Amino acid sequence: MVHPLGQILPVVVVAVRAPRAPHLGPLLVAAPAITVAFAGARTTAAMGALAVAAQVLIGVLRGVVGTANVQAQIAALIVVSAVCVTVCVVRDRHERQLDQVRSVAEAAQRVLLQPLPARSGPLRIAGLYIPADAEAELGGDLYAAARTAHHSTRLLIGDVRGSGLGAISKTALLLGAFRAAAHRQASLPRLAVHLDAAFRWDTGQWRPRTEEDTTEDFATAVLLDIPDHEPVVHLISCGHPPPLILRGKRIIPLVAEASHLPIGFGGAFGITDYVVQTFPFEAGDLLLLYTDGVIEARSADGRFYPFTERAPQWTADEPDELLRRLQADLLAHVHAHLDDDAAVVAVRRTASDPPASDPATASAALRPPTPPA
């Protein structure tokens, strides 16, 4: 309101105190034109009406309100004000529609990419998802957690090839397959076989049998099983970047000796035997899972984000605080413009299980579902 009024008042003052000065009435059109940039339809209409009233007042004070020139200026100002109000109405309608779309996208994200539990047994967990498109809520990166009946936590992080609705569909498929099977007593290799088979079945179920399988749908992934009472992490890598363990100021990549083909390719090559690698994961250690959108993020001058250099600086932080620092640092590195979606999961092993008597902790932990009879 300050800037439009700053356009109207000086014009009126000059017209009243210096009637012989040049006629400044045409400058009043700036008032509604400025208002439309930051205000709604009602405020713009009010400012347009005020500008028209000021134009009429100037014409009366100068004794020229009946001239064709002043009447044409008044008519032009009315038309411009009406156009500005129309622009406001259309813009506000589009913003409301965009807000509705965003709310639906946020709901879809909460359903598909469910928040990770704050606690699971002796683990503290936090997840971070940053879409490459600021208006998008979900893409091809994914993570999930499940609690097993034999006192362990299973984690999945993955990256589906491609983008758009196709990648979101495959993301939903992989997450659904993991949640349906991860809590069961099946071994980690059998879970990997299940995910690969489910992914391939969905990709090829409508393909004619005579048609050659030329699909390029796949997802890189890491599957982990972390026992509550054993200081280790069991891992199967399917073409995904290796997780990192932060131990003090040391950073330890969990590079598996056997890196299997991405999910979706294993069955195509007859792979049904997945090798589990086991690494130490002690109390106080921090485990970082991430997608390639983090390590391949580039600055404006082409420098990759130095993930392995920055992460040890935040070793002492809790998982959620570490991810907040990481997000701010990553976005600053790329000037808020990511070329690919990025996901990170941080897991801290504590010294012991959370007390069962603590209701806040107990409600935050994952509970294993009751297996069917």
Side-chain angles (χ1 to χ4, degrees):
M1 293 288 290
V2 174
H3 296 297
L5 288 176
Q7 293 287 334
I8 295 174
L9 293 178
V11 173
V12 175
V13 170
V14 171
V16 172
R17 295 185 175 275
R20 296 183 181 277
H23 187 53
L24 303 178
L27 296 178
L28 293 171
V29 74
I34 292 174
T35 307
V36 74
F38 65 87
R42 292 183 179 180
T43 304
T44 302
M47 197 56 59
L50 186 59
V52 171
Q55 182 78 282
V56 173
L57 177 62
I58 292 171
V60 170
L61 294 176
R62 284 177 172 266
V64 293
V65 71
T67 63
N69 184 37
V70 172
Q71 290 181 354
Q73 292 176 12
I74 293 173
L77 186 54
I78 292 173
V79 171
V80 171
S81 299
V83 170
C84 290
V85 171
T86 302
V87 169
C88 276
V89 171
V90 174
R91 182 195 63 198
D92 292 347
R93 183 181 302 158
H94 287 169
E95 287 180 352
R96 287 193 298 271
Q97 292 174 345
L98 182 58
D99 288 341
Q100 292 175 349
V101 171
R102 285 173 177 167
S103 66
V104 172
E106 290 173 359
Q109 183 193 35
R110 287 193 295 268
V111 171
L112 294 181
L113 198 62
Q114 298 175 4
L116 295 174
R119 294 293 300 254
S120 177
L123 307 180
R124 295 177 182 172
I125 308 174
L128 170 66
Y129 182 86
I130 312 175
D133 185 352
E135 299 299 327
E137 295 289 343
L138 187 64
D141 289 12
L142 58 99
Y143 52 69
R147 185 76 176 152
T148 69
H150 55 282
H151 305 294
S152 73
T153 301
R154 285 182 174 172
L155 293 166
L156 165 70
I157 189 166
D159 186 358
V160 175
R161 174 188 176 274
S163 59
L165 292 178
I168 294 176
S169 175
K170 298 302 180 186
T171 297
L173 167 70
L174 203 53
L175 288 171
F178 176 82
R179 290 170 184 150
H183 66 276
R184 301 181 183 277
Q185 296 288 347
S187 63
L188 210 58
R190 288 184 61 186
L191 178 58
V193 171
H194 170 77
L195 296 182
D196 184 86
F199 196 91
R200 284 182 48 77
W201 170 256
D202 184 79
T203 301
Q205 63 178 319
W206 306 116
R207 186 187 305 113
R209 294 183 178 180
T210 56
E211 183 178 328
E212 184 179 357
D213 182 3
T214 58
T215 181
E216 295 183 357
D217 292 326
F218 64 86
T220 64
V222 170
L223 281 168
L224 304 100
D225 189 273
I226 306 176
D228 288 354
H229 305 295
E230 189 178 358
V232 297
V233 53
H234 305 296
L235 177 152
I236 291 178
S237 175
C238 297
H240 199 79
L244 305 175
I245 282 185
L246 303 182
R247 183 172 295 154
K249 294 298 182 180
R250 295 175 56 203
I251 185 165
I252 306 171
L254 305 188
V255 180
E257 295 179 3
S259 182
H260 301 282
L261 292 174
I263 300 295
F265 281 165
F269 293 89
I271 298 175
T272 58
D273 186 17
Y274 288 85
V275 177
V276 178
Q277 299 286 135
T278 301
F279 299 91
F281 184 38
E282 303 169 358
D285 287 353
L286 189 68
L287 175 65
L288 289 180
L289 317 174
Y290 56 94
T291 60
D292 57 9
V294 177
I295 56 177
E296 294 179 1
R298 294 179 183 241
S299 62
D301 57 2
R303 292 181 296 110
F304 287 109
Y305 178 66
F307 183 51
T308 56
E309 298 175 15
R310 301 289 175 83
Q313 301 176 14
W314 309 311
T315 306
D317 295 329
E318 290 304 310
D320 53 350
E321 178 62 24
L322 181 148
L323 294 187
R324 280 194 290 269
R325 292 174 178 268
L326 172 63
Q327 181 178 15
D329 192 56
L330 176 61
L331 292 179
H333 180 81
V334 300
H335 301 288
H337 178 70
L338 282 172
D339 293 326
D340 192 11
D341 297 341
V344 186
V345 175
V347 184
R348 168 90 67 189
R349 180 186 280 278
T350 60
S352 61
D353 294 349
S357 58
D358 184 353
T361 303
S363 62
L366 281 177
R367 298 300 183 190
T370 302

